[in-house]
Amino acid sequence: LADLEEVDTLILGSGQGGKLLAWHLARGGQKVAVVERRWVGGSCPAVACLPSKNEIWSAEVAHTVAQSGRFGTNVENVRTDMGAIYARKQAMVDREAAFHVKAYEESGAELIMGRGVFTAPKTIEVELNDGGTRLLKGEQIVINVGSHAMVPDTPGLAASLPLSHIEALELQEVPGHLLIVGGGYVGLEMAQAFRRFGARVTIVERGPRILSREDSDVSDEVLRILMAEGIDVLLSTDVNHVEGLSGVDVTVRLEAASGQRELRATHILVATGRIPNTAGIGLELTGVDLDSRGFVAVTPRLETSAPGIWAIGECAGSPQFTHVSVDDFRVVRDNMAGGHRRTDDRLIPHVVFLDPPLARVGLDETEASRRSTPVRVAKLPMRNVLRTQATDESSGFMKVMIAPDSDQILGFTMIGAQAGEVMAAMQTAILARLPFPRLRDAVIAHLTYAEGLGPLLSNVPPPAAGWPH
Ligand SMILES: Cc1cc2nc3c(=O)[nH]c(=O)nc-3n(C[C@H](O)[C@H](O)[C@H](O)COP(=O)(O)OP(=O)(O)OC[C@H]3O[C@@H](n4cnc5c(N)ncnc54)[C@H](O)[C@@H]3O)c2cc1C
């Protein structure tokens, strides 16, 4: 049996927040160990955000080239070299891995590559990737194990060895026909990228619209944009049987209100949601409670139900974005140091990296109506943003939510070129509690996309009668 090694802080999973915490604590003089089974820097730089955005950028280049004639540049013999796209992505992933190894070394935190399982409340046994085991005990424990792609129990689906985003990002050939199960952001980003690489793409979504968490005008506009690129989208449709092998030939049976039919594809990609990596790691021995969906139950300070055990990122039920895991790190860092930082008072933006992208921060109409919060809504089509006259990027719109009886900005949604960047300006205004007329009347540089914020905010309806008092 391995000897018990004691450290100050022991972190399970080198996720976004966990590794930042490890480096921070180690630089401060603590003895810190991180147990990671596979990706030295967690999933974001290895198999999620960075590699997907890398290939999506290649897809945008492909699209620009394909459209170049419209802009007066004639290009001949255009073809996609999926091997080169993969190689560029992989070179970045390798650079990221090397950066992380160095960052661990420089910080003094020890990275232990292996699978960790709790054997006692604050003790983890590591099955080392290189063979053998180690047994570690931490004064403080942090769980940052992330999540994995869910594969629905549709008959034949698992046996068809479907792609998840991980395998899709390993493809070195363009699929002939990629069938994507799930119309959430992961599925949509992959759909557009592979369509632009030249694949036939079909999205099958069980619900009545894609991006079900967004307002319906957002879902409708994104649907229109994807269909205009030749992506087939089947809504209110279930896959109820799969036969064959992804990468070779698959036949799916589709069921919709109109009846059943079969569809053949070469590849099948599953993007139907995430399952936390909390099963089978001995959490029942720790006093750490899970919620009904298997996420670690945490307080707004990110404490679990077991004293001295914290949780960070997706496994703690935090919104599933890298920037949230990073902020979870700041919450735990400050609370470990005796502070009072919370997760329930933060403003969390997100971007769906389609072209044009979708960005949202704060309240949208769906959430406002769920909370029965009255709002003033203003909208501006992107074609009314002057910049798009020059670039032809006229799809989409900006939308802002304003309080009914004050000048407070409550939320912003944009589908349009540079939406993520424009959103950051609006997010800053929300955080600063800037009354919307100040932004409406600001002198914003011409000819930028953000210039559209002026006309957008000029469209805000007048306040409810009787205001201001
Ligand atoms: C295709 C895709 C694209 C995405 N794009 C974006 C984006 O553009 N922007 C954005 O903000 N977010 C994006 N995300 C989400 C983002 O990747 C995650 O929210 C982010 O990585 C935070 O994860 P985390 O810190 O919770 O855990 P992770 O980064 O997933 O880390 C958890 C780590 O724990 C390890 N682990 C698990 N169990 C064990 C165990 N028992 N022993 C040892 N190690 C273990 C795992 O190997 C993993 O490395 C994307 C996700 C996907 C799937």
Side-chain angles (χ1 to χ4, degrees), residues 276-287:
N277 293 328
T278 50
I281 56 169
L283 281 176
E284 60 286 356
L285 304 174
T286 62

PDB file of all heavy atoms in Angstrom, residues 276-287:
ATOM      1  N   PRO A 276     -22.156  15.596 -14.979  1.00  0.00           N
ATOM      2  CA  PRO A 276     -20.995  15.877 -14.122  1.00  0.00           C
ATOM      3  C   PRO A 276     -20.179  14.609 -13.843  1.00  0.00           C
ATOM      4  O   PRO A 276     -20.745  13.521 -13.716  1.00  0.00           O
ATOM      5  CB  PRO A 276     -21.625  16.419 -12.829  1.00  0.00           C
ATOM      6  CG  PRO A 276     -23.042  15.954 -12.849  1.00  0.00           C
ATOM      7  CD  PRO A 276     -23.439  15.816 -14.288  1.00  0.00           C
ATOM      8  N   ASN A 277     -18.857  14.779 -13.744  1.00  0.00           N
ATOM      9  CA  ASN A 277     -17.963  13.629 -13.504  1.00  0.00           C
ATOM     10  C   ASN A 277     -17.875  13.302 -12.009  1.00  0.00           C
ATOM     11  O   ASN A 277     -16.775  13.177 -11.455  1.00  0.00           O
ATOM     12  CB  ASN A 277     -16.558  13.949 -14.035  1.00  0.00           C
ATOM     13  CG  ASN A 277     -16.524  14.083 -15.539  1.00  0.00           C
ATOM     14  OD1 ASN A 277     -17.283  13.421 -16.243  1.00  0.00           O
ATOM     15  ND2 ASN A 277     -15.658  14.950 -16.038  1.00  0.00           N
ATOM     16  N   THR A 278     -19.035  13.168 -11.383  1.00  0.00           N
ATOM     17  CA  THR A 278     -19.032  12.980  -9.929  1.00  0.00           C
ATOM     18  C   THR A 278     -19.341  11.543  -9.524  1.00  0.00           C
ATOM     19  O   THR A 278     -19.287  11.221  -8.337  1.00  0.00           O
ATOM     20  CB  THR A 278     -20.090  13.904  -9.277  1.00  0.00           C
ATOM     21  OG1 THR A 278     -21.332  13.706  -9.980  1.00  0.00           O
ATOM     22  CG2 THR A 278     -19.672  15.365  -9.364  1.00  0.00           C
ATOM     23  N   ALA A 279     -19.661  10.682 -10.516  1.00  0.00           N
ATOM     24  CA  ALA A 279     -19.994   9.288 -10.180  1.00  0.00           C
ATOM     25  C   ALA A 279     -18.713   8.458 -10.114  1.00  0.00           C
ATOM     26  O   ALA A 279     -17.756   8.711 -10.842  1.00  0.00           O
ATOM     27  CB  ALA A 279     -20.936   8.710 -11.237  1.00  0.00           C
ATOM     28  N   GLY A 280     -18.693   7.502  -9.203  1.00  0.00           N
ATOM     29  CA  GLY A 280     -17.586   6.535  -9.154  1.00  0.00           C
ATOM     30  C   GLY A 280     -16.272   7.103  -8.644  1.00  0.00           C
ATOM     31  O   GLY A 280     -15.207   6.541  -8.898  1.00  0.00           O
ATOM     32  N   ILE A 281     -16.333   8.244  -7.954  1.00  0.00           N
ATOM     33  CA  ILE A 281     -15.077   8.790  -7.415  1.00  0.00           C
ATOM     34  C   ILE A 281     -15.085   8.815  -5.878  1.00  0.00           C
ATOM     35  O   ILE A 281     -14.332   9.557  -5.262  1.00  0.00           O
ATOM     36  CB  ILE A 281     -14.742  10.199  -7.975  1.00  0.00           C
ATOM     37  CG1 ILE A 281     -15.881  11.201  -7.718  1.00  0.00           C
ATOM     38  CG2 ILE A 281     -14.427  10.112  -9.470  1.00  0.00           C
ATOM     39  CD1 ILE A 281     -15.469  12.658  -8.025  1.00  0.00           C
ATOM     40  N   GLY A 282     -15.930   7.979  -5.297  1.00  0.00           N
ATOM     41  CA  GLY A 282     -15.904   7.802  -3.840  1.00  0.00           C
ATOM     42  C   GLY A 282     -16.484   8.957  -3.046  1.00  0.00           C
ATOM     43  O   GLY A 282     -16.226   9.074  -1.839  1.00  0.00           O
ATOM     44  N   LEU A 283     -17.294   9.800  -3.687  1.00  0.00           N
ATOM     45  CA  LEU A 283     -17.813  10.969  -2.953  1.00  0.00           C
ATOM     46  C   LEU A 283     -18.688  10.558  -1.769  1.00  0.00           C
ATOM     47  O   LEU A 283     -18.801  11.295  -0.785  1.00  0.00           O
ATOM     48  CB  LEU A 283     -18.579  11.905  -3.896  1.00  0.00           C
ATOM     49  CG  LEU A 283     -17.694  12.817  -4.751  1.00  0.00           C
ATOM     50  CD1 LEU A 283     -18.534  13.642  -5.717  1.00  0.00           C
ATOM     51  CD2 LEU A 283     -16.846  13.741  -3.873  1.00  0.00           C
ATOM     52  N   GLU A 284     -19.266   9.334  -1.860  1.00  0.00           N
ATOM     53  CA  GLU A 284     -20.120   8.871  -0.756  1.00  0.00           C
ATOM     54  C   GLU A 284     -19.313   8.695   0.547  1.00  0.00           C
ATOM     55  O   GLU A 284     -19.882   8.652   1.634  1.00  0.00           O
ATOM     56  CB  GLU A 284     -20.857   7.577  -1.142  1.00  0.00           C
ATOM     57  CG  GLU A 284     -20.001   6.370  -1.492  1.00  0.00           C
ATOM     58  CD  GLU A 284     -19.308   6.436  -2.861  1.00  0.00           C
ATOM     59  OE1 GLU A 284     -19.537   7.400  -3.614  1.00  0.00           O
ATOM     60  OE2 GLU A 284     -18.518   5.528  -3.146  1.00  0.00           O
ATOM     61  N   LEU A 285     -17.985   8.637   0.419  1.00  0.00           N
ATOM     62  CA  LEU A 285     -17.149   8.475   1.626  1.00  0.00           C
ATOM     63  C   LEU A 285     -16.750   9.809   2.234  1.00  0.00           C
ATOM     64  O   LEU A 285     -16.033   9.865   3.228  1.00  0.00           O
ATOM     65  CB  LEU A 285     -15.864   7.707   1.271  1.00  0.00           C
ATOM     66  CG  LEU A 285     -16.047   6.344   0.606  1.00  0.00           C
ATOM     67  CD1 LEU A 285     -14.696   5.761   0.168  1.00  0.00           C
ATOM     68  CD2 LEU A 285     -16.729   5.388   1.591  1.00  0.00           C
ATOM     69  N   THR A 286     -17.157  10.912   1.593  1.00  0.00           N
ATOM     70  CA  THR A 286     -16.618  12.213   1.984  1.00  0.00           C
ATOM     71  C   THR A 286     -17.587  13.104   2.736  1.00  0.00           C
ATOM     72  O   THR A 286     -17.185  14.120   3.287  1.00  0.00           O
ATOM     73  CB  THR A 286     -16.200  13.010   0.725  1.00  0.00           C
ATOM     74  OG1 THR A 286     -17.371  13.221  -0.077  1.00  0.00           O
ATOM     75  CG2 THR A 286     -15.138  12.286  -0.075  1.00  0.00           C
ATOM     76  N   GLY A 287     -18.866  12.773   2.701  1.00  0.00           N
ATOM     77  CA  GLY A 287     -19.863  13.681   3.281  1.00  0.00           C
ATOM     78  C   GLY A 287     -20.245  14.800   2.328  1.00  0.00           C
ATOM     79  O   GLY A 287     -20.949  15.730   2.702  1.00  0.00           O
TER      80      GLY A 287
END
